[in-house]
Amino acid sequence: MFSIGELSKRTGVKIPTIRYYEQMGLIDAPERSEGNQRRYSKEGPQRLSFIRHSRELGFTIEDIKGLLELSQHPDKPCQDADKIAVQRLSDVRARIAKLRRLERELKRITACQADNVASCAVIESLADHGLCDAEH
Amino acid sequence: MFSIGELSKRTGVKIPTIRYYEQMGLIDAPERSEGNQRRYSKEGPQRLSFIRHSRELGFTIEDIKGLLELSQHPDKPCQDADKIAVQRLSDVRARIAKLRRLERELKRITACQADNVASCAVIESLADHGLCDAEH
DNA sequence: TCTTGAACCTCTAGCTGCTAGAGGGATTAT
DNA sequence: ATAATCCCTCTAGCAGCTAGAGGTTCAAGA
């Protein structure tokens, strides 16, 4: 049995965020002390770490709800979980591709040698999308 | 002189977004018709395209304010503009690096061959951060 | 000229995923 | 017993829009 502050320290999830997750239904409302303070058992950190890790990987709250639901039913086929992860993977790849294009353009832009804004590549490039290498 | 709908079509920026930019001070409040509707002149699309392009490159509204300010003063040195762009470039690179790590982990996770959730790598990996290749 | 329907207006509230603060009560160590 | 530190709920705020309500204006056809 430990407090929310303790749970926060163990998992690296901030206190208001823990309460937020509780409100969003990601974690069950824990028991309370006499004085109405949250008291977590040892399952607390596990579930919260799962959530934290998933969030770091970019899963949405809704995704995580689905994954948690699944993990409560160990006999279900894991295709659903896989589907969510595959979707995430393709999101991530798309974002990487897009950022690479941006990187290329920003690199070009920042190679600016002009002395003043009138002929500055940064401003010019932003004004004229037609100069871009790629679409975005 | 054209309407906000026309401006929206020409620039690809949605109507409420244009009004939002006006409110945020990115674009000047345009003239109005007799009946209080916005009427833009040919400078409208230029500035808005600049903004749109900048947003696509991930510049914040505040960044763009700075860049627009600069572009109004063509005799200023362009170091400031360059600084903003360089900062963006390093942001983008950091984001790419982070996403690459996520991609690697998701790829590993989605190679799940199990039949049911009990031994599914997706769930397991998310539960146990210790299995990660990298930090995040 | 009148009428219709599309486009426009302002204002408010909602989205995601938290985070910060106010104003108060509980717990813990000394 | 008291002080320091924690915790409680509730509300509001962040970015960058987006959606809706409820009402007005515009432009084109009859």
Side-chain angles (χ1 to χ4, degrees):
Chain A
M1 283 297 157
F2 38 84
S3 69
I4 196 169
E6 191 65 25
L7 181 60
S8 172
K9 254 178 230 151
R10 292 193 195 196
T11 58
V13 179
K14 286 180 187 154
I15 291 173
T17 305
I18 296 174
R19 291 198 276 246
Y20 172 74
Y21 288 159
E22 183 184 324
Q23 208 185 306
M24 291 298 102
L26 286 187
I27 54 182
D28 293 335
E31 291 176 46
R32 300 284 182 135
S33 70
E34 293 268 298
N36 198 35
Q37 300 195 354
R38 289 170 179 81
R39 290 292 175 263
Y40 296 89
S41 61
K42 58 183 174 314
E43 287 83 50
Q46 277 174 33
R47 200 176 169 93
L48 201 50
S49 295
F50 183 105
I51 294 167
R52 188 194 161 194
H53 192 186
S54 303
R55 284 290 305 135
E56 282 168 345
L57 289 174
F59 291 93
T60 66
I61 301 281
E62 282 310 303
D63 282 344
I64 297 170
K65 265 191 199 168
L67 291 169
L68 283 167
E69 173 81 17
L70 279 171
S71 71
Q72 303 309 127
H73 302 282
D75 48 330
K76 276 199 180 165
C78 78
Q79 288 170 0
D80 291 0
D82 200 59
K83 208 166 72 187
I84 295 175
V86 165
Q87 176 61 52
R88 267 275 71 216
L89 180 55
S90 90
D91 285 0
V92 165
R93 285 187 170 146
R95 266 158 66 194
I96 289 174
K98 199 173 172 199
L99 284 171
R100 285 243 187 80
R101 286 197 295 275
L102 299 195
E103 186 193 10
R104 231 183 301 134
E105 192 179 354
L106 283 168
K107 215 158 65 188
R108 194 173 51 72
I109 286 177
T110 57
C112 171
Q113 300 292 337
D115 288 337
N116 59 49
V117 170
S119 52
C120 173
V122 178
I123 300 289
E124 254 171 52
S125 301
L126 291 172
D128 187 1
H129 193 139
L131 295 173
C132 287
D133 293 342
E135 281 125 54
H136 26 243
Chain B
M1 282 296 158
F2 38 83
S3 70
I4 196 168
E6 190 65 26
L7 181 61
S8 171
K9 254 177 231 151
R10 293 194 193 195
T11 59
V13 179
K14 286 180 188 155
I15 291 174
T17 307
I18 295 174
R19 291 198 274 246
Y20 172 74
Y21 287 159
E22 183 184 324
Q23 208 185 306
M24 292 297 102
L26 285 188
I27 55 181
D28 292 335
E31 291 177 47
R32 299 285 182 133
S33 70
E34 292 268 300
N36 198 35
Q37 299 195 355
R38 289 171 178 82
R39 290 294 175 262
Y40 295 90
S41 61
K42 58 183 174 314
E43 286 83 49
Q46 276 175 33
R47 200 177 170 93
L48 200 51
S49 295
F50 183 104
I51 294 167
R52 188 194 161 193
H53 192 186
S54 303
R55 283 291 305 134
E56 281 169 346
L57 290 173
F59 292 93
T60 66
I61 301 281
E62 282 309 303
D63 282 344
I64 298 170
K65 265 191 198 169
L67 291 169
L68 283 167
E69 174 80 18
L70 280 172
S71 71
Q72 302 309 125
H73 301 282
D75 49 330
K76 276 199 180 165
C78 78
Q79 288 171 0
D80 291 0
D82 199 60
K83 207 166 73 187
I84 296 174
V86 165
Q87 176 59 51
R88 269 274 74 215
L89 181 56
S90 92
D91 286 359
V92 165
R93 285 187 170 146
R95 266 158 65 194
I96 289 174
K98 199 171 171 199
L99 284 170
R100 285 241 189 82
R101 287 197 295 275
L102 299 194
E103 185 194 12
R104 231 183 301 134
E105 191 178 353
L106 283 168
K107 214 158 67 189
R108 194 173 51 73
I109 286 177
T110 56
C112 173
Q113 300 290 338
D115 288 337
N116 59 49
V117 170
S119 53
C120 172
V122 178
I123 301 288
E124 255 172 51
S125 301
L126 291 172
D128 187 1
H129 192 140
L131 295 174
C132 287
D133 293 342
E135 283 125 52
H136 26 242

